[in-house]
Amino acid sequence: MKEYKYKINGTTYKVTVGDIENNLAQVEVNGVPYKVELDSKAQPVTTVKAPRPSAAPRTESGAKVIAKPATGAAGHVVKAPLPGTVLSIAVKVGDTVKAADTVCVLEAMKMENAIHAGRDGVIKSINVAAGDAVLEGAPLVSID
């Protein structure tokens, strides 16, 4: 039951609203009971279910699609500083880069991180593709 106090033309009314069934409400005004008919029945509230996140992509054998660090790379290897997804690659094999040049962009925790070459040289190999998920320490590019 809900209680309300109204003041109309200087007169105070104490209104109590009771049960509401089939468009008929039990209302009491200053201790006098009334049955009040409502215009229309309230519509049910529609609940929206939140979509479930999709599963991580897997290969035909069922393994997760994550680039793992390769072993035995020669020269300087630019590694992923944190796990994330490769958004773009700014270099090609054979390009000459300076230490401050961006070689790729890595998305991690909804932030875009520009990954720099770290030293001058020529791009020897690119070990990832745009859209690849990489772990921390995964080799991104090799520089000679």
Side-chain angles (χ1 to χ4, degrees):
M1 296 182 97
K2 293 189 178 185
E3 292 186 15
Y4 303 95
K5 289 188 179 183
Y6 295 105
K7 193 170 197 175
I8 302 172
N9 293 330
T11 306
T12 303
Y13 296 93
K14 180 182 171 190
V15 179
T16 305
V17 179
D19 296 331
I20 301 174
E21 293 181 17
N22 298 327
N23 292 347
L24 197 60
Q26 301 293 330
V27 178
E28 191 175 293
V29 180
N30 289 342
V32 180
Y34 295 96
K35 290 186 180 184
V36 178
E37 187 176 337
L38 304 174
D39 283 341
S40 64
K41 192 172 185 176
Q43 298 295 326
V45 176
T46 305
T47 57
V48 178
K49 293 182 180 179
R52 297 183 73 197
S54 60
R58 296 185 180 265
T59 62
E60 291 176 11
S61 64
K64 291 182 181 179
V65 180
I66 295 179
K68 295 189 178 176
T71 58
H76 175 68
V77 178
V78 178
K79 296 181 180 181
L82 64 163
T85 304
V86 178
L87 289 182
S88 64
I89 299 170
V91 295
K92 298 181 295 243
V93 174
D95 285 357
T96 302
V97 292
K98 298 284 183 190
D101 289 349
T102 299
V103 293
C104 67
V105 177
L106 185 68
E107 178 187 24
M109 298 181 287
K110 301 196 186 249
M111 297 284 293
E112 292 184 10
N113 301 285
I115 309 301
H116 301 289
R119 69 171 54 163
D120 297 349
V122 178
I123 301 295
K124 181 179 177 186
S125 67
I126 299 174
N127 303 323
V128 293
D132 284 354
V134 295
L135 298 174
E136 181 178 354
L140 303 174
V141 297
S142 298
I143 301 174
D144 270 346

